[in-house]
């Protein structure tokens, strides 16, 4: 029988899904009366499929969590953030981590198990780490990191008990390592990228249209994509013909179906076209921003220049083929920038003709930044800004149609008069309901109590940042301004302030009540509105309405009518409160088109005035008569009685569907005449008609009627 001195290896057979356990250490003690949390996170989008093993490994920690309970019934809870979640985000920006944080605060979770410490954070300033460790210490919560691989033969289970200063320091060191890795890795990648750009190589940046990259990643070169390059040449020549008036050029582009044609499939394989531009599927490409064309025509890459570092003036000329003639580009660059390529100022600068004024103080309007404008269609974008004219503040609404760069002025609402309508409505609701102030107090107290649980992470994070700012200030006092460390400390301070402002903005957005004193202040206002309201400053007034309203929105219904919808706090009003607001000054309808003039010529002499208004729904009879006087036309039939010359058909039938705004023609016209007689353009520009009664009993009856109707319907079905 043959013998061998070689060690014998015995095979142990198992199935692929029966993996050897890596938890060979003695299991640590945990609080078995509380739940054990398993936090799972992958940074890269798509990593749950591209690196499925990593995800499976983390999910496998649930088995480890159950082992920790021994013979007792396990309570293991999964907090799965999935893929594409950065560890650099704040706690409140990560839904699952925020949920875990809240459960820790409520005393539900006693142990947190992680595959690695960095699954919690990659946190530069340690403010998120500090918020987490303080709560863990207060609630006596342990963090456990067991070995996750059979290859980790030298690793032992790491247990962090934050009541131990040694464990706290060890965990903080791991957190610094976590951020240091990502910072160093990214820094190395950026340095390599810059080295490539310094040699004139393509570094992946956006290219102006007409240029594209070709070749493998390491050897990519910039080439001309001719189908788009010829359009850029036309664009530059047209800009020159318009005396470099980019506003007019943008309006011409808006009227085009597309600016650049679709890219055929064979060209997509040859070229990498990396340009920020909007794609209209099946049509082509157009820019979306009114600044885009200006940026293109002043991009030195169009003449073959390459700026390796965009923060430094150095350029490499003739780095790649040029699209535009040098003289044409240089002329446009000087006109649009205000200085030549050599940096010399020019007199015929074609810059922005209107410079937006900066305000030292916020505009004195209640709903500045909070008023929402309903878009006329889901594809359009609308927004409201504050506009001052003749020392009067207005809410100015804009609309931006789909596939357009240019925004259009849509509606102008007198600011203080609009605010007064909402204030008067709140006063009417308060006077009609003596119990309103007490219901509001109760509701806000419940919010205040609940937010301590639901949003506990935000105040704690702000507290942690404030502590870091104090420490930063102390370090700056001890550091000379010439010391390189001083600049780093200033950068840290700016970053911390930005984080603090972001958190405070989110806190405001969540409608959080700051303190019981704020509730008392609001209670005193609602108990004696007319006396207390004048004592409030702008911040206090805006704060009061941010607590009392969930949403306030206006919709342009017709040239004269606005529809105001206020979603009050339920304690104020249990239904959406709606008013139709008549504007003494109608919205702009622009010049009469050729088609409209043809309608007037054909119908004005003998057609009934109501039929003419239907054919020109946005025009008032007054404006139509103004047009007829210009073309010398007269009515051949007697004037109809009861004509309201300042009203358009759309004012009466907003949806142009035959349904009058207030039920029928007579009622609608009656309300319009009342609104028209109650307004004047300069003194009383707005008049509101509220749909619901301000009496709370009437409102409750409406709600009960709806509930009864729903019950009957459900029983019938």
């Amino acid at each position: 029988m043959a013998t061998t001195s070689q060690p014998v290896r015995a095979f142990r057979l198992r199935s692929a899904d029966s993996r050897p356990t890596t938890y060979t250490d003695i299991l640590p003690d945990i609080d078995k009366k509380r739940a054990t949390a398993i936090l799972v996170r992958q940074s890269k989008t798509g990593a749950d499929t591209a690196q499925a093993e990593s995800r499976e490994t983390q999910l496998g920690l649930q088995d480890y969590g159950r082992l920790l309970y021994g013979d007792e019934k396990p309570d293991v809870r999964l907090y799965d953030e999935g893929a594409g979640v950065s560890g650099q985000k704040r706690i409140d920006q990560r839904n699952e981590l925020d949920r875990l944080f809240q459960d820790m605060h409520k005393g539900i979770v006693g142990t947190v198990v992680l595959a690695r410490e960095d699954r919690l954070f990659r946190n530069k300033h340690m403010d998120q780490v500090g918020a987490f460790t303080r709560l863990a210490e207060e609630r006596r919560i342990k963090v456990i990191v067991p070995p996750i691989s059979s290859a980790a033969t030298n690793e032992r289970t790491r247990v962090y008990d934050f009541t131990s200063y040694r464990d706290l320091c060890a965990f903080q060191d791991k957190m610094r390592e976590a951020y240091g890795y990502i910072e160093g890795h990214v820094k190395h990648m950026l340095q390599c990228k810059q080295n490539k750009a310094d040699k004139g190589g393509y570094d992946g940046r956006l290219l102006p249209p007409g240029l594209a990259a070709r070749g493998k990643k390491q050897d990519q070169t910039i080439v001309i994509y001719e189908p788009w390059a010829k359009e850029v040449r036309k664009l530059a020549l047209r800009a020159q013909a318009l005396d470099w008036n980019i506003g007019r050029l943008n309006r011409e582009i808006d009227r085009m179906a597309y600016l650049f044609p679709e890219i055929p499939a064979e060209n997509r394989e040859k070229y990498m076209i990396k340009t920020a531009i909007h794609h209209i599927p099946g049509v082509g490409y157009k820019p979306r921003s009114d600044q885009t064309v200006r940026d293109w025509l002043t991009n030195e890459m169009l003449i073959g220049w390459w700026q390796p570092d965009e923060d430094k003036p150095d350029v490499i000329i003739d780095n790649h083929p040029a699209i535009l003639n040098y003289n044409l580009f240089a002329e446009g660059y000087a006109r649009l920038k205000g200085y030549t390529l050599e940096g010399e100022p020019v007199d015929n600068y074609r810059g922005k003709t209107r410079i937006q004024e900066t305000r030292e103080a916020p505009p004195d309007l209640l709903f500045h930044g909070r008023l929402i404008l309903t878009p006329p269609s889901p594809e359009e974008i609308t927004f409201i800004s504050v506009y001052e004219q003749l020392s009067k503040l207005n809410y100015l609404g804009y609309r931006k149609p789909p596939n357009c760069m240019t925004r259009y002025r849509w509606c102008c609402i007198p600011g203080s008069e609009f605010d007064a309508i909402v204030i008067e409505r709140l006063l009417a609701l308060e006077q009609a309901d003596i119990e309103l102030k007490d219901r509001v107090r109760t509701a806000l107290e419940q919010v205040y109590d609940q937010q301590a649980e639901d949003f506990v992470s935000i105040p704690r994070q702000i507290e942690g940042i404030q502590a870091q700012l104090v420490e930063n200030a102390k370090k700056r006092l001890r550091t000379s301004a010439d010391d390189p460390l001083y600049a780093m400390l200033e950068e840290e301070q700016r970053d911390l302030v930005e984080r603090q402002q972001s958190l405070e903005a989110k806190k405001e957005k969540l409608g959080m009540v700051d303190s019981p004193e704020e509730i008392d202040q609001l209670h005193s206002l609602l108990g004696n509105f007319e006396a207390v309201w004048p004592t409030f400053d702008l911040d206090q007034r805006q704060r009061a309405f941010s607590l009392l309203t969930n949403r306030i929105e206006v919709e342009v219904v017709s040239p004269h009518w606005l529809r105001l919808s206020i979603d009050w706090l339920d304690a104020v009003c249990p239904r959406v409160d709606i008013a139709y607001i008549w504007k003494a000054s109608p919205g702009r309808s622009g010049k009469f088109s050729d088609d409209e003039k043809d309608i007037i010529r054909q119908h004005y002499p003998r057609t009934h005035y109501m039929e003419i208004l239907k054919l020109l729904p946005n025009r008032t009879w007054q404006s139509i008569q103004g047009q007829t006087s210009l073309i010398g036309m007269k009515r051949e039939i007697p004037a109809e009685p009861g004509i309201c010359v300042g009203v358009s058909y759309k004012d009466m039938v907003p949806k142009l569907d035959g349904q009058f705004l207030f039920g029928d023609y007579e009622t609608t016209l009656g309300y319009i005449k009342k609104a028209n007689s109650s307004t004047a353009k300069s003194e009383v520009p707005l008049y509101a008609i509220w749909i619901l009664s301000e009496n709370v009993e009437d409102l409750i009856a409406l709600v009960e009627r709806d509930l009864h109707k729903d019950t009957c319907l459900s029983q019938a079905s």
Side-chain angles (χ1 to χ4, degrees):
M1 179 175 169
T3 61
T4 176
S5 59
Q6 295 292 328
V8 177
R9 183 176 64 179
F11 291 96
R12 186 173 58 191
L13 305 180
R14 65 173 178 83
S15 62
D17 57 357
S18 175
R19 301 192 179 193
T21 180
T22 59
Y23 316 126
T24 55
D25 285 353
I26 298 173
L27 294 173
D29 291 330
I30 65 165
D31 181 352
K32 297 176 183 178
K33 294 181 180 178
R34 291 190 285 174
T36 295
I38 312 297
L39 179 66
V40 174
R41 177 181 72 83
Q42 288 180 288
S43 301
K44 292 184 180 179
T45 301
D48 49 344
T49 54
Q51 284 104 33
E53 183 64 31
S54 170
R55 175 170 174 76
E56 187 178 335
T57 298
Q58 293 187 62
L59 291 173
L61 291 173
Q62 295 174 89
D63 294 333
Y64 175 77
R66 296 184 189 99
L67 289 174
L68 296 175
Y69 285 86
D71 296 332
E72 295 191 23
K73 184 179 180 180
D75 184 1
V76 177
R77 305 190 182 192
L78 179 64
Y79 298 80
D80 186 358
E81 297 193 288
V85 179
S86 171
Q88 297 182 75
K89 288 185 175 182
R90 302 191 310 265
I91 295 170
D92 61 287
Q93 293 174 325
R94 294 164 57 184
N95 293 337
E96 286 299 291
L97 180 57
D98 198 34
R99 184 167 70 88
L100 169 59
F101 201 82
Q102 293 170 30
D103 287 349
M104 290 167 60
H105 184 267
K106 294 173 184 176
I108 296 171
V109 170
T111 308
V112 179
V113 178
L114 308 166
R116 294 199 312 268
E117 288 85 351
D118 63 6
R119 296 306 83 192
L120 273 170
F121 306 105
R122 291 188 186 274
N123 182 212
K124 181 177 182 180
H125 293 299
M126 302 288 284
D127 52 303
Q128 308 299 293
V129 176
F132 179 86
T133 55
R134 274 195 301 276
L135 180 60
E137 180 181 356
E138 289 173 11
R139 297 290 190 270
R140 295 187 174 274
I141 298 167
K142 292 180 179 179
V143 170
I144 300 176
V145 184
I148 59 171
S149 169
S150 58
T153 53
N154 296 323
E155 288 193 15
R156 293 289 180 266
T157 301
R158 295 187 291 277
V159 180
Y160 299 100
D161 178 353
F162 296 105
T163 60
S164 163
Y165 182 67
R166 182 175 179 178
D167 283 4
L168 174 63
C169 292
F171 185 77
Q172 289 172 339
D173 288 343
K174 283 290 185 181
M175 290 292 96
R176 292 187 184 94
E177 286 177 20
Y179 186 80
Y181 167 78
I182 191 170
E183 187 179 44
H185 183 64
V186 171
K187 186 181 291 185
H188 174 73
M189 289 175 63
L190 291 175
Q191 289 172 347
C192 293
K193 188 176 177 181
Q194 187 61 54
N195 289 340
K196 186 178 181 182
D198 288 340
K199 295 183 289 186
Y202 177 59
D203 58 357
R205 72 182 66 175
L206 291 175
L207 299 171
L211 293 177
R214 285 195 71 173
K216 295 183 179 179
K217 190 170 183 179
Q218 287 302 112
D219 304 311
Q220 281 177 334
T221 57
I222 298 173
V223 297
I224 290 179
Y225 178 61
E226 190 56 37
W228 283 20
K230 68 179 183 181
E231 301 301 330
V232 172
R233 296 184 193 106
K234 291 179 187 176
L235 198 65
L237 289 170
R238 183 56 184 158
Q240 185 184 46
L242 293 172
D243 194 30
W244 303 100
N245 187 325
I246 301 300
R248 287 183 61 188
L249 184 61
N250 282 339
R251 287 190 287 275
E252 289 186 3
I253 294 171
D254 273 341
R255 290 192 289 269
M256 299 177 183
Y258 63 89
L259 182 58
F260 298 109
E262 286 278 14
I263 306 167
E266 60 270 20
N267 285 340
R268 289 185 181 278
E269 294 179 4
K270 291 181 185 177
Y271 303 97
M272 185 178 78
I273 298 175
K274 196 170 182 181
T275 301
I277 190 168
H278 174 53
H279 181 218
I280 308 168
V283 179
Y285 295 80
K286 284 177 71 173
R288 263 185 172 164
S289 168
D290 55 5
Q291 181 65 25
T292 302
V293 174
R294 181 186 295 272
D295 292 341
W296 287 345
L297 295 178
T298 55
N299 190 320
E300 69 283 349
M301 294 180 70
L302 294 178
I303 54 172
W305 289 13
W306 176 257
Q307 192 174 6
D309 188 337
E310 295 176 344
D311 293 329
K312 297 178 181 178
D314 301 335
V315 295
I316 302 171
I317 62 171
D318 301 327
N319 182 72
H320 52 267
I323 293 176
L324 293 183
N325 170 276
Y326 176 86
N327 292 331
L328 175 62
F329 177 82
E331 177 189 330
Y333 185 92
R335 295 295 305 281
L336 297 173
K337 287 282 193 179
Y339 49 87
T340 66
L341 288 165
E342 292 76 26
E344 298 173 359
V346 295
D347 295 330
N348 57 350
Y349 172 38
R350 254 271 32 150
K352 293 183 179 179
T353 55
R354 287 182 293 180
I355 300 174
Q356 187 174 359
E357 295 181 5
T358 55
R359 299 177 183 273
E360 293 183 1
D364 189 11
L365 291 178
L366 269 183
F367 304 106
H368 171 52
R370 295 194 68 236
L371 189 59
I372 298 168
L373 181 60
T374 307
S377 67
E379 296 78 22
E380 291 201 43
I381 298 170
T382 55
F383 56 92
I384 286 184
S385 63
V386 171
Y387 172 70
E388 186 172 356
Q389 186 177 34
L390 301 176
S391 300
K392 283 183 67 68
L393 292 173
N394 302 278
Y395 294 109
L396 191 59
Y398 294 91
R399 62 189 292 185
K400 193 174 181 184
N403 304 323
C404 282
M405 295 181 292
T406 310
R407 65 182 188 179
Y408 298 94
R409 178 172 166 172
W410 192 22
C411 66
C412 183
I413 309 170
S416 58
E417 289 81 2
F418 178 86
D419 288 355
I421 285 174
V422 183
I423 294 168
E424 288 166 7
R425 181 60 171 175
L426 177 61
L427 177 59
L429 291 170
E430 180 237 11
Q431 290 177 340
D433 180 9
I434 60 173
E435 296 179 356
L436 184 146
K437 64 180 185 295
D438 294 327
R439 285 202 311 275
V440 169
R441 177 196 281 276
T442 301
L444 293 181
E445 285 175 345
Q446 289 173 350
V447 170
Y448 184 72
D449 292 339
Q450 185 64 35
Q451 74 188 22
E453 298 181 3
D454 291 348
F455 307 117
V456 64
S457 64
I458 294 179
R460 284 181 173 274
Q461 289 173 76
I462 292 174
E463 180 185 334
I465 289 173
Q466 289 171 339
Q468 296 230 13
L469 282 168
V470 170
E471 188 64 28
N472 176 279
K474 291 178 181 177
K475 289 179 180 178
R476 280 187 289 119
L477 285 173
R478 295 195 298 265
T479 306
S480 168
D482 298 327
D483 192 324
L485 178 62
Y486 192 83
M488 295 173 63
L489 289 169
E490 284 193 318
E491 181 185 353
E492 180 185 60
Q493 184 217 22
R494 285 193 295 271
D495 193 13
L496 287 168
V497 169
E498 286 178 8
R499 285 168 174 260
Q500 183 178 11
Q501 290 172 343
S502 176
L503 283 166
E504 287 174 345
K506 181 165 185 178
K507 175 184 170 185
E508 178 68 23
K509 185 177 179 182
L510 289 170
M512 295 175 70
V513 182
D514 281 334
S515 64
E517 290 75 23
E518 187 173 52
I519 299 174
D520 291 339
Q521 186 181 56
L522 197 56
H523 187 263
S524 68
L525 170 69
L526 295 176
N528 192 10
F529 192 94
E530 291 176 300
V532 176
W533 181 256
T535 68
F536 276 24
D537 60 24
L538 177 61
D539 286 342
Q540 289 172 317
R541 292 181 177 190
Q542 289 178 330
R543 181 64 179 156
F545 272 94
S546 73
L547 291 171
L548 293 172
T549 60
N550 299 314
R551 183 182 180 91
I552 179 164
E553 186 168 356
V554 290
E555 178 183 357
V556 177
V557 173
S558 72
H560 280 98
W561 287 114
L562 299 171
R563 187 177 190 269
L564 168 63
S565 304
I566 306 177
D567 181 10
W568 297 98
L569 189 72
D570 282 350
V572 176
C573 180
R575 288 174 60 119
V576 175
D577 205 7
I578 296 171
Y580 282 93
I581 299 177
W582 178 266
K583 291 172 55 192
S585 298
R588 295 178 177 180
S589 296
K591 295 180 180 180
F592 278 78
S593 67
D594 291 339
D595 289 343
E596 288 178 316
K597 291 176 184 177
D598 288 341
I599 290 171
I600 291 173
R601 290 189 186 97
Q602 181 180 352
H603 294 278
Y604 185 73
R606 301 195 62 81
T607 304
H608 190 276
Y609 93 98
M610 197 65 176
E611 294 302 316
I612 297 174
L613 288 180
K614 284 184 182 180
L615 293 169
L616 302 169
N618 287 307
R619 303 293 183 179
T620 63
W621 190 247
Q622 188 176 37
S623 66
I624 292 170
Q625 287 183 316
Q627 188 65 29
T628 60
S629 66
L630 293 175
I631 58 180
M633 292 189 68
K634 292 184 178 180
R635 290 280 277 175
E636 298 174 3
I637 59 175
E640 292 88 344
I643 292 179
C644 196
V645 296
V647 178
S648 70
Y649 182 73
K650 196 167 186 181
D651 289 330
M652 295 182 279
V653 185
K655 295 183 180 180
L656 307 180
D657 56 358
Q659 300 296 315
F660 287 91
L661 181 60
F662 295 105
D664 55 55
Y665 173 74
E666 289 77 14
T667 305
T668 300
L669 196 60
Y671 275 119
I672 287 175
K673 287 181 177 179
K674 171 66 174 173
N676 205 29
S677 64
S678 302
T679 53
K681 289 184 179 180
S682 57
E683 298 176 1
V684 191
L686 302 176
Y687 178 80
I689 299 172
W690 292 93
I691 302 303
L692 299 177
S693 166
E694 67 273 11
N695 192 292
V696 69
E697 284 79 10
D698 294 341
L699 294 173
I700 292 171
L702 281 170
V703 175
E704 289 177 345
R705 186 186 68 191
D706 288 349
L707 290 174
H708 179 68
K709 186 191 300 179
D710 292 342
T711 303
C712 291
L713 287 172
S714 63
Q715 289 173 350
S717 62

